[in-house]
Amino acid sequence: MADHVSKKVIIVGGSLGGLFTGIVFHRLGYNVTILERNLPSALKDQGAGISLSTLYPPLRESFKKLGTSGSPLVDFLEQYDRTKTPSLSLTQFQYLNKDGSVKEKIDIAGKFASWELLYNVMRANFDSGYELGYVRAAGKREGDGIATYLSGVRVIDLKEVGNLVRVEYESMEVRSTLEADIVVAADGASSTVRKILLPEVGRIYAGYLIWRGTVRESFLDEETRIFLSGKLSQSFSKNSQAINYSIPGLNGSLDPAEILANCVWYSNANEEELKRILTDSRGVSHIYSLGIGKIDPNIKIEQIKAAKAILPPPLAEVFQKIEHPFIQAVTDNLAPKSVFMGGKVFLVGDALAGLRPHTAAGTAQAAMNALLLKNVFEKDGGMGIEEWEKASVDWAKFAQNVGVQMGNLSQFGDHPMADNGEPPK
Ligand SMILES: Cc1cc2nc3c(=O)[nH]c(=O)nc-3n(C[C@H](O)[C@H](O)[C@H](O)COP(=O)(O)OP(=O)(O)OC[C@H]3O[C@@H](n4cnc5c(N)ncnc54)[C@H](O)[C@@H]3O)c2cc1C
């Protein structure tokens, strides 16, 4: 029996980063408790598309240097997804001109999913699913530890107590504590744990935001559906980048009638405009994002007008037909360290580094952090804690820099693929 059996791990944050790490420790035999601030109903239907494959060559190469195939998210699913849930394969990448014609086509081999599907698959693997889940339970095997996922639990503090870490949390206004041998902070870009350990590291607004959302491809005009389906389409123009790609439909369906067009549109907004856009239909202002159903209808109408003026007609049609878009401000955050309290506390995923979404590598980063933690904690895994910290921080610095360059070029520069011509008639 391995010497770590019965050791406890607490994971702060139960989104994808927390679940990846939770699954790794659980399969190594640790007893893992995930503490998630939100209730499952708040996480449902929140996400949009996620590229499982890392398509941008410099990032693929950087992941290869860390011993992965180049797409750590694909590797993670191959190693850990006992449900073998299929994803959607896309084979073509097309750059569009403003009039909707194709500027350039590139063959790709990319796997795509939705945030919600991945969340469901990970829950099925971690704690055999949850009450709103739709992926069948993966089942427990000999050697797995105990997996517990607690929702509606907000972590507020942590302290080193001898060989353990004490985590204080609040649930329904009641404060409690739990102790563990290892704590993983997977609590996102506004991480509470990072604020305690590295109060000087914060999120910095990048000067633009993303409009996101999905619509069933079968709701698009037939010509548009055929033009976009099964592809990743992208258009650049002054201060704007818009992307559309197909993702699995509701409940992970790959039925062509259910496939979704997933739109991501980067749009510039100064601080004042950001504040106005992130003020919801009831007048409440939000700092970094505005969820489904909260956008002021007048702001949505303004953006649909802008879509018609700026985007190629097929992408403008997708945007216009999204019933419930949501908005996220683009921010940067980067921690200079990822290991604390003598190797008992680890920062992973967005808590370590919030990457610009142009990289499409945020979820891959979290998967890579988890895969490398396996090498640290598996018997004879061959990686030391210091080596893990160096690998995770160096990669985060590199990827953040790549993302800043990509974002600055598309939003504030002169992108070589931009079409700044007249809007379509
Ligand atoms: C609802 C949602 C939808 C998303 N949709 C997409 C998408 O469509 N496409 C995409 O590319 N990326 C999406 N992301 C981001 C993507 O999941 C992340 O980049 C990636 O998974 C790594 O993030 P993470 O798990 O490290 O952090 P996050 O995904 O930000 O998760 C952090 C988690 O920690 C929880 N948390 C925060 N503070 C506390 C606390 N004090 N106590 C307990 N829990 C806490 C949060 O509620 C959250 O669930 C989404 C994230 C969320 C939360």
Side-chain angles (χ1 to χ4, degrees), residues 12-18 20 35-38 42-43 46-50 115 153-156 186-192 212 326 328 348-351 362-363 366:
V12 186
S15 173
L16 299 179
F20 295 151
L35 305 177
E36 167 55 44
R37 170 183 68 177
N38 284 324
L43 292 171
Q46 283 292 304
I50 288 192
W115 185 89
V153 171
R154 192 169 66 89
V155 168
I156 48 180
D187 50 348
S190 300
S191 169
T192 303
R212 307 180 67 146
F326 61 101
Q328 290 169 327
V348 300
D350 288 11
T363 311

Side-chain angles (χ1 to χ4, degrees), residues 39 63 94 115 123 126 175 198 216 219 304 366 375:
L39 293 171
F63 279 138
Q94 55 188 13
W115 185 89
R123 286 298 300 266
F126 179 66
R175 287 189 174 198
L198 296 170
R216 271 195 210 184
F219 290 177
I304 288 174
N375 297 345

Side-chain angles (χ1 to χ4, degrees), residues 312-330:
L315 301 190
E317 184 190 334
V318 171
F319 187 76
Q320 190 175 356
K321 288 187 172 165
I322 294 169
E323 208 174 334
H324 299 297
F326 61 101
I327 302 172
Q328 290 169 327
V330 177

Side-chain angles (χ1 to χ4, degrees), residues 200-214:
E200 67 282 9
V201 177
R203 290 177 75 169
I204 299 165
Y205 177 54
Y208 57 101
L209 47 81
I210 324 181
W211 284 79
R212 307 180 67 146
T214 57

Side-chain angles (χ1 to χ4, degrees), residues 142-323:
E142 203 183 329
D144 291 353
I146 299 169
T148 310
Y149 189 107
L150 301 177
S151 304
V153 171
R154 192 169 66 89
V155 168
I156 48 180
D157 201 6
L158 84 168
K159 277 191 185 70
E160 193 173 8
V161 183
N163 290 331
L164 301 175
V165 181
R166 181 175 298 155
V167 174
E168 187 176 2
Y169 62 91
E170 200 173 54
S171 178
M172 297 203 286
E173 296 181 12
V174 177
R175 287 189 174 198
S176 314
T177 58
L178 271 178
E179 288 181 352
D181 303 273
I182 296 162
V183 171
V184 178
D187 50 348
S190 300
S191 169
T192 303
V193 174
R194 193 193 61 227
K195 274 183 204 146
I196 295 165
L197 299 168
L198 296 170
E200 67 282 9
V201 177
R203 290 177 75 169
I204 299 165
Y205 177 54
Y208 57 101
L209 47 81
I210 324 181
W211 284 79
R212 307 180 67 146
T214 57
V215 57
R216 271 195 210 184
E217 287 186 348
S218 55
F219 290 177
L220 301 174
D221 291 349
E222 187 57 4
E223 201 185 333
T224 309
R225 189 189 67 74
I226 292 168
F227 183 68
L228 296 178
S229 187
K231 302 180 189 107
L232 193 155
S233 306
Q234 185 157 214
S235 85
F236 291 93
S237 57
K238 195 165 174 50
N239 308 140
S240 162
Q241 177 185 7
I243 302 161
N244 181 78
Y245 53 93
S246 309
I247 61 168
L250 195 65
N251 295 353
S253 172
L254 297 181
D255 178 338
E258 303 284 334
I259 297 291
L260 299 171
N262 172 68
C263 171
V264 179
W265 183 16
Y266 298 89
S267 180
N268 290 7
N270 63 30
E271 301 270 353
E272 204 178 309
E273 287 161 340
L274 179 75
K275 203 168 167 210
R276 187 177 73 88
I277 294 168
L278 293 186
T279 299
D280 70 23
S281 47
R282 291 188 302 173
V284 179
S285 54
H286 300 252
I287 305 175
Y288 295 120
S289 61
L290 205 49
I292 283 170
K294 291 196 174 145
I295 298 172
D296 181 331
N298 293 322
I299 292 197
K300 190 179 161 196
I301 290 168
E302 273 173 30
Q303 199 66 16
I304 288 174
K305 265 194 207 154
K308 285 183 186 158
I310 295 169
L311 302 184
L315 301 190
E317 184 190 334
V318 171
F319 187 76
Q320 190 175 356
K321 288 187 172 165
I322 294 169
E323 208 174 334

